[in-house]
Structures are given as C-alpha cells and as structure tokens.
Amino acid sequence: MTDVSSRVQAAGRRAASDAAPWVTRLARMGYAAKGLVYLTIGGLSAQAAWSAGRVEGSEGALSTLRGQPFGWTLLAMMAVGLAGYVVWRVVQTALDPENKGSDAKGLGARAGYAISAVAYAGLALEAVRLLSGGGSQGSGGSHWTGAVMEKPFGQLLVGAVGLGIAAYGLFQLYRGATSDIAKRLGFGGLNADLRRRIVTLGRVGTCARGVVFAIAGWMVILAALRHQPGKAAGLQGALVTLREQSHGRWLLGAAALGLMAYGVFQLAKARYRRIQPA
C-alpha cells in the first residue's frame, strides 16, 4: 500500500512538473489578485475607520473595483487571476507538488488547500457575476446559516463551521507570529533590508487576518448557539464588529493596516514565491 501511495505521489509531482509553466503563471496571477482584494478591503476599512464610509468584505471590494476607472478591465483581470489561484490550490490538493505527503499533517494541509479553492472559486464567480451586470450581494453569512439551520442537525453543523473558521484564524495568528512565513519565497538578489520589510509585512498581515477570521468564526458560533442566522457574518461583519467596540475606530484602523500589509505580502508572493515543485 505504501509503495502504491509513493508511486501515486511521484506521478502527481511529475504531472505538476510537466504543467509547471502554465500552473506557475496562473498561481502568480492568483496571488496578485488576492493581494489586490486585500489591499482594497484594507483601504476601504481604513477610510471607514475615520469617516462615514462603508466597511466592505471580499465581495464588496470587487464591487468597488468595478466602479473605478477601467474597472471592468480590472475586474476581468481579477476574475482570471482568482480562477488561476483556484487552479493552483487544486493542483496543491490533488498533485502535492510541494511534497506535503499523506500523513495526518500533510493531509490536513491539503484539505486546507481544498477549502481555500472552494472559497476563492466563489469569489471568482462573484467577479464574473459583477462583470455580467449583477449587484454586490454582500457577505451572505446570514443567508447560508439560515438555510443550513433549517436542516436536521443544521445548528450543530453551523457551529462546527464557526469553530473551524475561528480555529483557522487562531492558526493564522500563531503562524504569523512564529513560523517562517518566507520559507517558500525565493528572494534572489533582493537586499537584506527589503527582505526583512517583506517578512515583517507578512507577519503583521497574517496576524491581522487571523484576528479578523477568529472574530468571524466566533460570530458564526454565536449564530448557531442562539439560532439567529443574522448574527453570522463574514469578513465584512467581523470588521464592522471591530468598529462597534470601545475605541473601535482605532481597532478597525489597525486591522485595515494589517489587511493592507497582507495584500502587499501577497503581491510579493506573486513575484517571489517558488511555485515549481522542489
């Protein structure tokens, strides 16, 4: 069985290697698109922290981009880039080009890639829908929780999803603070000072994103516990919650800067990440 598993993994890596040129291009476009989404969310949140501006999540950020000069062209590029990121996540899940393996840790990482693929596929479809003339649908948190809660054991399932989101947020916070987040970045001839700045942005941004996801997960848990779908919210709702706290404008402003840092780090990944199999 082990020998069969090894042969399957080796075949997957060979397939990934053969497809590397187009996979690499799609992955880099995807990281760039993801970075632009988070830069937009952070920028809108920073504006909302000190004015009457509206806090937006991922879908709202895409809608905002559509309203800018050359917005349709930019949104089309975003749709292609996000689709590329989905393809890269699917390759990471199915072909394991980075040798995560089939032990518990490796399968956990690959399951995370699969979840990421589903999430960003939804965002890519939202970009396509906006290109076709649809309006922004917002975070949609209360919609899916309400639908799931009507099913048998739905309340339990929503709570489990909330726990998963919160756990992911806490893991991102831990990862940003402690792990080598530049492990797969090939900086080449980049000077040491600029490398340190990129790594610092990555740490700050990953931690900020972790906090926001942990809040979003907690809100989903509360929605399940109270059987109130309206309490559930995604990224947008978590940022609104921050603004509603004591000193909320400062908290939202700090989160906004962190999300912008994360966006810049994704742009650095688009340029420097080693995409090809080791």
Side-chain angles (χ1 to χ4, degrees):
M1 181 68 71
T2 302
D3 186 54
V4 172
S5 176
S6 298
R7 286 201 298 270
V8 170
Q9 289 180 26
R13 287 194 290 272
R14 285 196 299 272
S17 181
D18 292 341
W22 65 267
V23 169
T24 297
R25 285 193 290 271
L26 287 175
R28 296 199 188 285
M29 289 172 62
Y31 282 118
K34 184 179 176 183
L36 187 54
V37 168
Y38 275 94
L39 279 171
T40 304
I41 294 171
L44 291 171
S45 298
Q47 185 179 6
W50 305 109
S51 70
R54 177 180 169 85
V55 179
E56 295 288 1
S58 303
E59 293 86 354
L62 291 177
S63 183
T64 298
L65 287 173
R66 185 180 65 171
Q68 305 307 307
F70 306 104
W72 287 92
T73 301
L74 186 59
L75 192 57
M77 293 171 62
M78 291 289 291
V80 173
L82 290 168
Y85 188 74
V86 171
V87 171
W88 169 233
R89 284 310 201 195
V90 170
V91 168
Q92 286 180 298
T93 303
L95 302 181
D96 193 23
E98 296 175 329
N99 303 318
K100 294 295 183 181
S102 297
D103 57 6
K105 183 179 179 181
L107 290 175
R110 292 164 71 180
Y113 296 149
I115 293 170
S116 178
V118 172
Y120 282 96
L123 197 56
L125 289 174
E126 174 70 4
V128 172
R129 195 185 65 80
L130 289 170
L131 283 169
S132 67
S136 177
Q137 293 181 322
S139 63
S142 60
H143 171 73
W144 74 263
T145 51
V148 172
M149 281 186 193
E150 297 304 317
K151 308 298 182 184
F153 304 104
Q155 203 170 343
L156 205 59
L157 182 57
V158 170
V161 171
L163 280 172
I165 296 171
Y168 174 76
L170 293 174
F171 172 73
Q172 287 289 291
L173 183 58
Y174 171 80
R175 181 170 178 266
T178 64
S179 70
D180 181 10
I181 61 173
K183 180 180 179 181
R184 295 192 179 276
L185 297 183
F187 287 122
L190 208 62
N191 69 72
D193 185 55
L194 193 51
R195 291 186 190 188
R196 282 193 296 270
R197 292 180 184 180
I198 291 174
V199 170
T200 298
L201 286 172
R203 290 198 184 283
V204 171
T206 303
C207 286
R209 183 171 179 262
V211 169
V212 172
F213 269 78
I215 294 171
W218 175 242
M219 294 173 72
V220 174
I221 293 170
L222 287 180
L225 290 174
R226 299 173 181 175
H227 207 286
Q228 294 177 312
K231 293 288 185 182
L235 186 60
Q236 179 183 10
L239 292 170
V240 170
T241 298
L242 281 175
R243 187 169 65 175
E244 291 173 347
Q245 305 308 305
S246 177
H247 307 295
R249 293 190 180 277
W250 290 99
L251 291 174
L252 180 59
L257 291 176
L259 293 176
M260 291 174 73
Y262 186 79
V264 172
F265 185 60
Q266 295 307 301
L267 293 178
K269 278 188 176 183
R271 172 64 178 84
Y272 296 111
R273 196 184 193 281
R274 289 190 292 268
I275 305 293
Q276 305 228 4

